[in-house]
Amino acid sequence: MDKVYRGADAQAVRYVHGGKARTNGRTNYIALASITKLLLFLVAVAVTAGLYRYLYGDLSAGYLNRGHFPSPALQEADFDWYALEPARTIQWTSCYSNQRCARLLLPLDYDIPDGPTTAIALRMIPAANRENHLGTLLVNPGGPGGSGTDFIARRGEQVSRIVGDSFDVLGFDPRGIGASTPSARCFETDSQRKLWNLQEDGRLLNLTDGSVEMYRARERLVAARCEEKIGGEDGIARFSGTPSVARDMLEITRQLGQEKLQYWGFSYGTVLGQYFAAMYPDKVGRLIIDGVFDAYSYRANIWDTSLVDTDAVIGSFFDFCHQAGPDKCPLWNSSASKIRERYFNVLRSVEEEPIAIPLAEPPLLLTRKHLHQQIFQAAYKPLAGFPPVADTIYAIESRNQTALTALAPKILDPTECNCAAANQPWRAGSEAFRAVECGDGDEQPYNPTEYEAFYEGLLGLSPLAAPVWAPSYLACAEWRVRPKWRWTGPFAAKNTSHPLLMVSPRYDPVCPLADAQAVHARFGGAGLLVQNSYGHCSIAAPSLCTAKYIRAYMVNGTLPPPGTVCEVDELPFVGAVQNARAMSAEDAELLEALRALAMDLPLRAGPR
């Protein structure tokens, strides 16, 4: 998921209408001129301090805001991954704040163990409770293309709090991704990639206006560039597939001194978990797959069922806004249907007349395409993503340029020149999604009749999400590089050395519960935990119930009873559903960690 919306940090001004500003459900009356001066001052300070992205988020990186936990991003600028000497055994080096880093050399092609290598970046938070050490948990944040070392930087401490202090928590950058080398990058610099993305068609994908051919032409160009840059005989695109990554996890586990893998994978990480469990069923120690996508659909390059529950998630935006009331949702009206009507009225008006935001930096012409992207991306993480959507629609209704200027960086990631980023290439984007997912999947050359039927089917599931989702099909249709080898065996195991645990929201915008149920049926003895929530993966919504079942599984190996459904502790717009004062201190700390994860879900744009 290469590009998922990253929401805003807590806003000084939630929304502004006339001279009335509402902040976090409380009403304050502030002079509009004072608000304008305050916003301009904060932006100036932020830019001067180099904190613009920290305050407003980064759509290209695809992450949400940081909740109440401080981000480590500003503490990490001095660490040079490429100065860390890679070795054929894990050689830990102290890094960041009491963490461990290493670069592990593994065969590029396991059929040629003494041939070319790939250096896999590892970053670990050591267990605090060494006396009761229970081993190391590997995590994968999704993608393909998500960086495990970056996930540890942002949210490793919170994952550690959930599973307990007896586990090390280790994030790794899969082949071609992040700080692992060689990288699956087809552009010379991140700035070059961003300049290319600026040329993207401003229209929503449509079957009748020529936009499909424009999208195809762009994908053909990227595919040709990648074939040249990373598709040669020993090119990383031929060796970055999920089967190779599963084999890497086996080797990492062995070098850690563990007989069996302990793993928690989100989104695409659930596909990686299914590959591992199918390929190495006797090496499963603890294996959690959270936000499950059926690996059979993944391998078949089928994209037509992913949006089954998307509109249920988007529909919850209107329901929760109505439930929360006028002090917490600026679009509140007397019924959810009237809020929905307001939203779509704005979409139609913007389609007819795009909104100019001249004082945004850089200036922004807001189109219907932006609003489709915003609501779809917000559906991944409603707790953090829904409020900026409401603020945006309200500001458009009132043509409030002050509010729109403040919101602009949260609607579209501002492209900016940053030459210093060239010194940290591991933070740059990549073309790993295409190399991994398209390479893992069956070849599906473009067929206009089939694509028309595919797109019409998506529109029937979710008219808002379909134009955003459908281009991913075209990326793989035009991709040229095929992997050295693929896993063609079953994604099933009658028995694994320890049962798997599947975790799924009841309504996930891209990985429906039906997928989790299908995968659960194929792995003998596996458990299925359903969380009664909206969003992508369980950590899109805080749930002490879910967290405690996950910890019990990790520590004791116990599965939730069949049919278990967990409720959540916080709802979008509405807020907390229970009194924090009634909690134990331990539960309150755990809930704070869960909320931080819900505000910073490790997902990326595109499919999963």
Side-chain angles (χ1 to χ4, degrees):
M1 285 146 253
D2 297 330
K3 193 174 168 186
V4 170
Y5 175 73
R6 182 183 179 187
D9 287 63
Q11 295 170 239
V13 178
R14 280 289 315 282
Y15 52 95
V16 182
H17 182 52
K20 185 176 181 180
R22 298 185 182 182
T23 306
N24 299 326
R26 295 169 297 177
T27 304
N28 302 306
Y29 291 85
I30 305 171
L32 184 56
S34 298
I35 296 171
T36 304
K37 290 178 182 178
L38 176 61
L39 286 170
L40 292 173
F41 173 77
L42 289 174
V43 170
V45 172
V47 172
T48 302
L51 302 182
Y52 192 89
R53 289 178 178 275
Y54 178 71
L55 289 172
Y56 290 120
D58 186 346
L59 267 169
S60 66
Y63 301 116
L64 273 180
N65 69 0
R66 295 157 177 79
H68 298 303
F69 289 84
S71 169
L74 301 179
Q75 306 168 14
E76 304 196 338
D78 294 335
F79 187 78
D80 186 348
W81 275 100
Y82 290 174
L84 197 58
E85 189 69 26
R88 291 188 178 271
T89 58
I90 296 177
Q91 304 292 323
W92 291 118
T93 296
S94 294
C95 59
Y96 307 113
S97 301
N98 301 316
Q99 296 182 14
R100 302 290 181 268
C101 295
R103 295 175 71 206
L104 176 63
L105 285 175
L106 294 174
L108 188 69
D109 181 351
Y110 278 100
D111 289 338
I112 311 175
D114 296 326
T117 59
T118 176
I120 304 300
L122 312 174
R123 178 169 176 170
M124 183 177 73
I125 299 174
N129 187 349
R130 305 307 297 181
E131 292 182 1
N132 299 298
H133 188 224
L134 296 175
T136 302
L137 171 71
L138 274 65
V139 294
N140 181 283
S147 164
T149 62
D150 180 67
F151 182 47
I152 292 297
R154 297 185 344 269
R155 290 300 165 227
E157 295 288 350
Q158 288 75 61
V159 171
S160 178
R161 193 171 293 178
I162 293 170
V163 299
D165 62 4
S166 294
F167 292 95
D168 310 313
V169 179
L170 187 155
F172 68 100
D173 290 345
R175 294 164 172 243
I177 295 165
S180 291
T181 55
S183 65
R185 297 188 183 101
C186 307
F187 293 87
E188 298 302 323
T189 65
D190 208 38
S191 294
Q192 188 182 74
R193 179 181 295 101
K194 289 178 178 179
L195 289 170
W196 164 247
N197 288 336
L198 285 175
Q199 301 176 43
E200 182 178 328
D201 196 327
R203 295 172 294 178
L204 277 170
L205 188 69
N206 189 296
L207 294 174
T208 61
D209 64 359
S211 57
V212 172
E213 290 308 314
M214 179 63 74
Y215 276 87
R216 286 189 65 208
R218 287 180 58 82
E219 289 298 341
R220 281 196 299 271
L221 186 150
V222 173
R225 190 175 179 90
C226 288
E227 185 178 28
E228 176 67 24
K229 299 285 186 180
I230 62 174
E233 184 66 22
D234 292 327
I236 189 63
R238 299 187 66 235
F239 299 96
S240 57
T242 303
S244 294
V245 179
R247 178 67 180 81
D248 292 344
M249 290 203 300
L250 184 66
E251 181 61 20
I252 293 168
T253 299
R254 186 187 70 80
Q255 292 217 19
L256 290 170
Q258 295 179 186
E259 182 183 349
K260 297 173 182 177
L261 173 72
Q262 299 187 119
Y263 174 79
W264 190 354
F266 305 93
S267 193
Y268 158 78
T270 69
V271 173
L272 177 57
Q274 291 169 68
Y275 269 80
F276 187 93
M279 294 167 66
Y280 311 109
D282 60 336
K283 295 298 182 181
V284 173
R286 303 283 190 271
L287 202 155
I288 305 169
I289 53 176
D290 189 337
V292 182
F293 182 54
D294 192 329
Y296 279 122
S297 296
Y298 170 84
R299 188 171 64 188
N301 259 340
I302 297 174
W303 309 80
D304 57 352
T305 60
S306 298
L307 303 186
V308 166
D309 291 329
T310 308
D311 270 14
V313 183
I314 292 175
S316 74
F317 171 87
F318 310 109
D319 294 332
F320 287 130
C321 177
H322 178 254
Q323 182 180 342
D327 285 337
K328 293 184 177 181
C329 181
L331 294 183
W332 186 88
N333 214 308
S334 58
S335 69
S337 62
K338 289 185 177 180
I339 299 171
R340 179 189 294 271
E341 183 179 358
R342 270 178 88 174
Y343 177 86
F344 280 98
N345 284 341
V346 168
L347 254 64
R348 284 187 287 271
S349 72
V350 171
E351 184 174 26
E352 295 171 0
E353 183 182 352
I355 305 296
I357 311 177
L359 296 184
E361 296 294 345
L364 174 64
L365 187 64
L366 182 63
T367 67
R368 179 164 179 156
K369 181 177 181 178
H370 294 136
L371 299 180
H372 276 251
Q373 291 171 333
Q374 186 189 44
I375 190 70
F376 180 51
Q377 293 159 352
Y380 279 72
K381 58 224 53 147
L383 197 66
F386 280 179
V389 173
D391 294 342
T392 300
I393 299 301
Y394 188 85
I396 293 171
E397 281 184 329
S398 57
R399 294 300 191 267
N400 189 313
Q401 281 291 330
T402 300
L404 287 169
T405 299
L407 286 163
K410 303 156 192 163
I411 300 168
L412 183 69
D413 176 38
T415 299
E416 55 188 358
C417 295
N418 184 5
C419 296
N423 297 323
Q424 294 181 315
W426 48 87
R427 293 186 180 276
S430 76
E431 283 59 59
F433 161 74
R434 295 170 175 87
V436 179
E437 182 146 352
C438 301
D440 282 343
D442 298 336
E443 291 188 82
Q444 298 281 3
Y446 178 75
N447 179 296
T449 302
E450 291 179 1
Y451 189 70
E452 181 177 354
F454 161 77
Y455 188 49
E456 294 290 353
L458 290 184
L459 285 172
L461 293 173
S462 179
L464 285 172
V468 183
W469 186 259
S472 298
Y473 176 109
L474 300 175
C476 288
E478 304 298 341
W479 185 251
R480 300 180 181 184
V481 183
R482 299 305 295 167
K484 169 77 181 296
W485 73 290
R486 299 170 65 223
W487 172 255
T488 57
F491 293 109
K494 195 171 187 178
N495 293 294
T496 52
S497 50
H498 193 83
L500 279 61
L501 175 59
M502 288 85 181
V503 184
S504 177
R506 187 174 296 282
Y507 299 105
D508 188 303
V510 290
C511 293
L513 175 58
D515 278 24
Q517 293 167 334
V519 175
H520 172 251
R522 296 200 302 263
F523 286 90
L528 174 61
L529 174 62
V530 176
Q531 181 172 286
N532 193 23
S533 63
Y534 298 85
H536 187 35
C537 306
S538 71
I539 57 175
S543 170
L544 286 171
C545 171
T546 298
K548 289 178 180 181
Y549 276 119
I550 287 173
R551 181 179 292 187
Y553 173 77
M554 288 301 305
V555 174
N556 304 316
T558 54
L559 293 170
T564 297
V565 176
C566 279
E567 298 298 328
V568 298
D569 295 290
E570 187 168 351
L571 298 172
F573 296 119
V574 177
V577 298
Q578 62 173 303
N579 187 353
R581 294 180 180 178
M583 296 181 192
S584 67
E586 182 180 2
D587 280 359
E589 289 180 1
L590 180 56
L591 184 58
E592 183 75 354
L594 292 166
R595 189 177 189 280
L597 281 167
M599 301 299 283
D600 191 2
L601 197 59
L603 299 171
R604 311 194 39 116
R608 283 164 287 278

